[in-house]
């Protein structure tokens, strides 16, 4: 396919997503599962809490013994033992007696409530303090008070997490508490990143006349990492078919799940990427009605999905944000492929050329809503306008003028407070 096709952003996104599939699962140590998608249901093998235990430092006792207790009329109980967290005390609490108990310690047999230490005349939390022979309690309690009951949180045999759930720190904690040390999750996508162009230098090289450093390769590797995927950094291929082919072979050898390249997909004379892909791949060259980021190549190279982004750094980053991000998240098994968006009021008049535009902007809170201000020059080589931005403000297709006071959808790169 060599004739460029014109597509809307949505059409391009749909086509890109149709070309990638959810990756297979793998079994990994619990912490490696953070941020990834569960590929199995998790059924609790134990109840949590596993046993009745105290929620306070205090005394385990029988609630009926405190029926009339008050500050003016404290109840006196004989202390018959002491139980710390981690210990088990085989002493039965009988009427008129109590056992000193620490938070998390198992409730001794016979007791049906705990009274916090603060409500006794022995308001000491220090375990080194000798056990009193008796205590006075100046309040009553109900049976069950200050007791954490077995299975209150999780009941053995119940399905606690289902396939498709994204594992956050709290899910990791729940799995840890259930004794799940390894978990089945979707594999991290391996994304091979190629920068093309004779003008490119590695970032540790001194600048030379006519040359620039390869920033795209780093931006994209960082974007891949930020998504919890694995970048395979292929580096730079000069503008020859041999160089491009050799680098792509390195990606195949490294078992890439996806290729992402920058530059060489427009109609310039040196666009050798296009030539290589037309020979050995199955790639379409599109013009997306999008600003920035009009040219986009998409298809596969030797069976591996391939996404060719424009060369200009801002166009490359925004195209990644819009297309590559969704593809990588889909491959990772995620269901939510878009960034969060908010409606933001614009304070300045905005002109557009009718393409769906992604303007670099700062979104801040304003009253009960949000307002957006562009971060200056929107040239597709002005990288610092992205550094100043926390959002991409979307001017819809076929809109040419946005008047001050209008609301636009802001695609949030960071939450307002996160960086400003
Ligand atoms: P091209 O798509 O090859 O016409 O490149 C468009 C613009 O992006 C040119 O100004 C290139 O120098 C620039 N460019 C291409 N690749 C990179 C890169 N890896 N890092 C920074 N700028 C790049
Ligand atoms: Mg070029």
């Amino acid at each position: 396919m060599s004739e460029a096709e014109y597509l809307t952003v949505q059409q391009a996104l749909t086509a890109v997503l149709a070309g990638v599939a959810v990756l297979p699962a793998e079994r990994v140590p619990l912490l490696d599962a953070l941020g990834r998608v569960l590929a199995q249901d998790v059924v609790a093998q134990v109840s949590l809490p596993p046993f009745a235990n105290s929620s306070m430092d205090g005394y385990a006792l029988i609630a009926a013994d405190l029926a009339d207790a008050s500050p003016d009329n404290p109840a006196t109980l004989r202390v018959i033992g002491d139980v710390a967290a981690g210990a088990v005390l085989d002493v039965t609490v009988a009427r008129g007696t109590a056992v000193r108990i620490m938070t998390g310690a198992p409730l001794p047999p016979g007791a049906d409530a705990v009274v916090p230490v603060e409500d006794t005349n022995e308001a000491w939390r220090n375990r080194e303090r000798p056990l009193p022979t008796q205590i006075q309690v100046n309040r009553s309690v109900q049976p069950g008070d200050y007791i954490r009951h077995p299975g209150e949180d999780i009941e053995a045999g119940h399905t606690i997490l289902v396939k498709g759930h994204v594992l956050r720190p709290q899910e990791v904690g729940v799995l840890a508490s259930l004794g799940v040390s390894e978990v089945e999750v979707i594999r991290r996508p391996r994304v091979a990143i190629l920068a093309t162009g004779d003008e490119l230098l590695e970032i540790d090289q001194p600048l030379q006349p006519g040359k620039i450093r390869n920033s795209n390769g780093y931006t994209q590797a960082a974007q891949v990492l930020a998504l919890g995927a694995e970048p395979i950094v292929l580096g730079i291929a000069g503008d020859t078919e041999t160089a491009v082919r050799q680098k792509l072979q390195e990606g195949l050898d490294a078992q890439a799940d996806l290729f992402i390249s920058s530059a060489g997909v427009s109609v310039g004379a040196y666009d050798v990427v296009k030539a290589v892909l037309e020979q050995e791949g199955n790639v379409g060259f599109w013009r997306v009605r999008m600003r920035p980021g009009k040219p986009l190549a998409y298809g596969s190279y030797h069976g591996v999905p391939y996404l060719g982004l424009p060369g200009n750094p801002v166009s490359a980053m925004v195209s990644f944000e819009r297309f590559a991000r969704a593809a990588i998240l889909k491959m990772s098994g995620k269901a939510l492929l878009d960034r969060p968006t908010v409606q933001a009021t614009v304070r300045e008049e905005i002109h557009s050329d009718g393409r769906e535009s992604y303007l670099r902007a700062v979104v801040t809170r304003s009253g009960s809503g949000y307002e957006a201000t562009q971060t200056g020059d929107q040239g597709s080589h002005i990288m610092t306008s992205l550094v100043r931005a926390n959002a991409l403000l979307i001017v819809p297709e076929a809109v040419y003028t946005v008047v001050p006071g209008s609301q636009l959808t802001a695609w949030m790169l960071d939450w307002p407070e996160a960086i400003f």
Side-chain angles (χ1 to χ4, degrees):
M1 205 188 318
S2 56
E3 264 319 283
E5 291 180 42
Y6 279 85
L7 300 177
T8 64
V9 171
Q10 194 52 52
Q11 285 168 331
L13 182 61
T14 303
V16 166
L17 290 176
V20 295
V22 179
L23 294 175
E26 63 179 356
R27 199 173 176 79
V28 301
L30 181 55
L31 265 188
D32 287 357
L34 180 66
R36 296 168 71 176
V37 172
L38 256 187
Q40 59 168 109
D41 290 350
V42 176
V43 176
Q45 301 300 316
V46 291
S47 289
L48 288 178
F51 50 86
N53 69 90
S54 177
S55 69
M56 297 290 277
D57 291 341
Y59 288 85
L61 39 72
I62 295 168
D65 281 339
L66 305 183
D68 304 321
S70 70
D72 298 330
N73 179 31
T76 301
L77 299 174
R78 192 159 56 82
V79 179
I80 57 169
D82 190 21
V83 60
V88 174
L89 183 70
D90 196 15
V91 168
T92 300
V93 176
R95 292 298 299 259
T97 71
V99 161
R100 187 167 70 174
I101 191 166
M102 300 296 154
T103 306
L107 193 72
D112 65 7
V114 169
V115 70
V117 77
E118 293 82 349
D119 298 319
T120 73
N121 65 331
E122 280 286 331
W124 296 90
R125 292 181 173 277
N126 186 354
R127 282 199 61 224
E128 304 311 312
R129 187 171 160 80
L131 194 63
T133 52
Q134 61 174 42
I135 49 154
Q136 293 192 334
V137 184
N138 56 27
R139 59 170 284 189
S140 59
V141 289
Q142 296 301 312
D145 279 359
Y146 302 104
I147 293 173
R148 301 160 171 168
H149 299 283
E152 212 171 51
D153 187 5
I154 291 174
E155 273 189 61
H158 282 197
T159 301
I160 301 308
L161 296 172
V162 293
K163 197 172 153 169
H165 199 114
V166 179
L167 300 179
R168 302 167 298 166
Q170 51 268 55
E171 282 80 13
V172 169
V174 164
L175 292 169
S177 70
L178 292 173
V180 177
S181 59
E182 288 189 341
V183 62
E184 292 263 337
V185 289
I186 301 298
R187 186 158 70 61
R188 294 182 195 279
R190 286 188 288 270
V191 183
I193 294 161
L194 177 63
T196 67
D198 277 340
E199 72 276 39
L200 301 179
L201 295 170
E202 286 298 350
I203 59 171
D204 55 359
Q205 297 302 304
L207 278 181
Q208 296 164 24
K211 308 281 188 187
I212 57 168
R213 295 194 177 101
N214 167 24
S215 63
N216 285 346
Y218 284 83
T219 311
Q220 286 153 22
Q223 286 179 296
V224 165
L225 278 172
L227 292 174
E230 271 177 35
I232 300 167
V233 178
L234 299 177
I236 300 165
D239 286 319
T240 68
E241 292 183 23
T242 315
V244 170
R245 199 171 281 124
Q246 188 190 323
K247 285 292 181 189
L248 293 180
Q249 185 57 47
E250 282 178 32
L252 293 175
D253 293 345
Q255 297 188 306
D257 300 304
L258 172 68
F259 279 106
I260 293 181
S261 67
S262 58
V265 293
S266 53
V267 286
Y270 298 98
D271 291 341
V272 293
V273 172
K274 198 166 167 174
V276 171
L277 293 178
E278 279 173 350
Q279 290 157 32
E280 291 171 56
N282 174 22
V283 175
F285 291 85
W286 303 335
R287 285 156 191 256
V288 183
R289 288 203 294 274
M290 174 180 178
R291 187 178 69 129
K294 183 165 72 174
L296 191 74
Y298 186 70
S300 63
Y301 183 75
H302 289 269
V304 177
Y306 190 106
L307 188 54
L309 307 178
N312 275 308
V314 174
S315 313
M317 184 167 172
V318 172
S319 300
F320 184 112
E321 186 63 31
R322 202 66 193 85
F323 303 112
R325 184 177 186 278
I328 292 169
L329 290 176
K330 179 180 174 188
M331 296 168 94
S332 311
K334 304 262 165 88
L336 189 66
L337 305 182
D338 284 354
R339 293 272 195 189
T341 59
V342 299
Q343 293 303 115
T345 306
V346 296
R347 297 286 176 218
E348 59 212 319
E349 184 158 305
I350 297 172
H351 296 278
S352 183
D353 66 359
R355 285 182 283 167
E356 184 167 313
S357 299
Y358 289 78
L359 308 176
R360 285 141 270 169
V362 183
V363 169
T364 51
R365 286 184 196 278
S366 166
S368 58
Y370 298 94
E371 69 178 38
T373 316
Q374 292 181 76
T375 61
D377 190 334
Q378 297 284 321
S380 57
H381 60 297
I382 306 291
M383 292 172 71
T384 51
S385 61
L386 270 170
V387 170
R388 288 189 294 274
N390 65 356
L392 297 172
L393 197 57
I394 305 175
V395 181
E397 165 138 331
V399 171
Y400 293 86
T401 306
V402 178
V403 296
S406 313
Q407 293 234 314
L408 289 179
T409 299
W411 172 274
M412 300 306 297
L413 300 170
D414 298 276
W415 201 240
E417 284 80 0
I419 54 171
F420 297 101

